[in-house]
């Protein structure tokens, strides 16, 4: 056997005997600098809560600084656009309601980016159903009672932003029930909640994660949640589905997206690390206690979910003719 052939066979045998190395391990040179988690909403919302739980643990795992930056505006599109422009290899990522991001192309006529092309899926982290809640002075305790009341007197419905996921969920309920409330738009969930607590608005649809503390404090009264079946954490809150809108489901799906230039190994590694973190018993318990369920999906699964949500809500947007510049 000639030397070159012997060397080739020896190398092949070494490869066969070498331990299998997962794809994410090939990204061992990442990160080389601090990682920025952009939350495209004001502080205090569902995405912000999860990002700030995640950041210190991710920093420990990566042996690198991880910072959370709130970049609110344009229903999350300002922050998403900043991540698109960053185009750094996994060093700037977006943590947001990916369902809301999927809605944006249908709502905005002049969106500066296409999330399906300019961003790539990294991983899903958690799900929190929307909760339909009212100011305690509102004399309605069920969806039918609230619908009937909306036809008798003016009810202002706080929405986190025009064209947001909670707004479209409320519109879907309105279309199904014939409710006649008036929408009042805000620039984020935290201010919408504050004004509903203060009585400036009477109804709100918002992520349970960010709203449950105010329900527990008696500052808001829950009417229904948007999960298909009742939630173990709040078993006494009936679903919208069981109150006349069969099969209804909506919510905030917290996930991470990155610039489209981010490679598979980096996305896979980051996804796996984040899934491990949110699945840790203490983190899981903390999020469950606040109204979020851990739902993890890898990059491919999140991409499939994103595309299905984009198609689903495009139908609702078309039926309402909600369009923004």
């Amino acid at each position: 056997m000639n030397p070159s052939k012997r060397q080739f066979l020896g190398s092949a045998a070494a490869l066969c005997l070498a331990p299998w190395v997962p794809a994410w391990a090939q990204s061992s040179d990442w990160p080389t600098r601090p990682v920025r988690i952009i939350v495209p909403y004001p502080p205090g919302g569902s995405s912000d809560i999860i990002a700030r739980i995640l950041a210190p643990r991710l920093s420990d795992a990566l042996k690198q600084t991880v910072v959370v930056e709130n970049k609110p505006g344009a229903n999350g599109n300002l922050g998403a656009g900043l991540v698109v422009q960053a185009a750094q290899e996994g060093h700037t990522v977006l943590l947001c309601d990916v369902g809301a991001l999927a809605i944006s192309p249908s709502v905005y006529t002049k969106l500066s980016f296409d999330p399906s092309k300019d961003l790539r899926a990294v991983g899903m982290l958690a799900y929190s159903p929307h909760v339909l809640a009212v100011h305690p002075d509102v004399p309605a305790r069920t969806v039918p009672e609230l619908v009937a009341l909306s036809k008798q007197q003016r009810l202002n419905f706080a929405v986190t932003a025009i064209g947001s996921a909670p707004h479209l969920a409320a519109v879907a309920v309105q279309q199904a029930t014939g409710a006649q409330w008036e929408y009042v738009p805000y620039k984020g969930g935290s201010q919408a909640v504050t004004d509903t607590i203060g009585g400036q608005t009477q109804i709100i649809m918002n992520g349970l994660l960010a709203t449950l503390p105010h329900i527990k404090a008696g500052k808001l009264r829950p009417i229904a949640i948007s999960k298909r079946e009742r939630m173990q954490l709040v078993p006494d809150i009936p679903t919208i589905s069981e109150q006349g809108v069969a099969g209804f489901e909506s919510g905030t799906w917290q996930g991470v997206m990155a610039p489209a230039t981010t490679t598979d190994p980096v996305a896979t590694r980051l996804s796996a690390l984040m899934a491990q973190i949110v699945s840790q018993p203490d983190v899981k318990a903390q999020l469950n206690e606040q109204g979020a369920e851990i739902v993890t999906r890898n990059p491919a699964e999140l991409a499939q979910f994103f595309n299905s949500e984009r198609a689903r809500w495009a139908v609702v947007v078309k039926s309402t003719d909600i369009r923004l510049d």
Side-chain angles (χ1 to χ4, degrees):
M1 182 181 295
N2 61 55
S4 60
K5 188 173 183 179
R6 186 181 300 112
Q7 291 171 355
F8 171 80
L9 292 175
S11 299
L15 287 172
C16 292
L17 293 173
W20 177 76
V21 179
W24 61 260
Q26 300 169 21
S27 59
S28 57
D29 58 338
W30 171 87
T32 59
R33 54 185 178 275
V35 174
R36 300 164 66 208
I37 300 178
I38 302 296
V39 174
Y41 318 112
S46 300
S47 298
D48 184 65
I49 291 170
I50 292 177
R52 295 187 185 280
I53 292 174
L54 188 70
R57 293 169 174 80
L58 189 60
S59 179
D60 289 342
L62 294 174
K63 308 302 181 185
Q64 184 61 264
T65 301
V66 177
V67 296
V68 177
E69 298 180 16
N70 296 90
K71 300 292 184 181
N75 196 19
N77 293 317
L78 176 63
L82 292 174
V83 174
V84 169
Q85 295 168 11
Q88 296 175 355
E89 177 61 16
H91 291 88
T92 300
V93 299
L94 180 73
L95 198 161
C96 67
D97 178 354
V98 293
L101 183 64
I103 290 169
S104 289
S106 299
V107 173
Y108 287 85
T109 59
K110 298 179 180 178
L111 198 62
S112 63
F113 63 95
D114 185 337
S116 296
K117 296 178 180 178
D118 299 324
L119 292 169
R120 66 156 298 155
V122 173
M124 185 81 82
L125 301 175
Y127 163 72
S128 177
H130 291 134
V131 58
L132 179 64
V134 297
H135 185 276
D137 288 345
V138 174
R141 295 181 177 276
T142 67
V143 171
E145 288 178 1
L146 188 60
V147 171
L149 186 64
S150 75
K151 297 176 181 179
Q152 299 168 9
Q153 66 183 64
R154 180 187 176 94
L155 293 178
N156 290 326
F157 197 122
V159 294
T160 56
I162 293 295
S164 64
H167 178 208
L168 292 187
V171 168
V173 172
Q174 181 183 25
Q175 290 177 340
T177 62
Q180 297 177 10
W181 43 60
E182 300 291 330
Y183 294 108
V184 178
Y186 288 85
K187 294 183 178 180
S190 57
Q191 188 59 49
V193 170
T194 298
D195 275 15
T196 308
I197 290 172
Q200 288 91 334
T201 51
Q202 290 75 50
I203 317 172
I204 189 169
M205 177 85 86
N206 197 41
L208 184 63
L209 177 60
T211 314
L212 186 59
H214 306 293
I215 290 174
K216 289 182 175 180
K219 297 176 180 179
L220 292 171
R221 183 195 311 127
I223 297 293
I225 60 170
S226 65
K227 204 169 183 286
R228 285 182 183 270
E229 60 280 328
R230 293 201 185 196
M231 197 170 186
Q232 185 175 359
L233 176 66
V234 285
D236 294 333
I237 303 179
T239 67
I240 292 173
S241 178
E242 69 185 88
Q243 295 189 71
V245 190
F248 184 85
E249 183 174 36
S250 66
T252 61
W253 300 87
Q254 302 302 323
V256 174
M257 309 288 280
T261 53
T262 305
T263 61
D264 287 344
V266 169
T268 303
R269 182 185 179 199
L270 182 56
S271 180
L273 284 174
M274 292 188 302
Q276 290 172 9
I277 291 170
V278 297
S279 298
Q280 291 172 358
D282 61 327
V283 176
K284 185 175 181 179
Q286 183 178 356
L287 290 175
N288 286 167
E289 179 66 22
Q290 296 183 71
E293 296 179 338
I294 303 305
V295 178
T296 58
R297 289 189 172 103
N298 62 33
E301 292 167 339
L302 176 56
Q304 183 179 14
F305 171 84
F306 183 87
N307 291 332
S308 65
E309 285 292 280
R310 182 168 180 171
R312 172 194 178 194
W313 290 110
V315 175
V316 177
V317 171
K318 185 176 181 179
S319 70
T320 58
D321 198 31
I322 298 172
R323 301 292 286 173
L324 300 172
D325 290 336

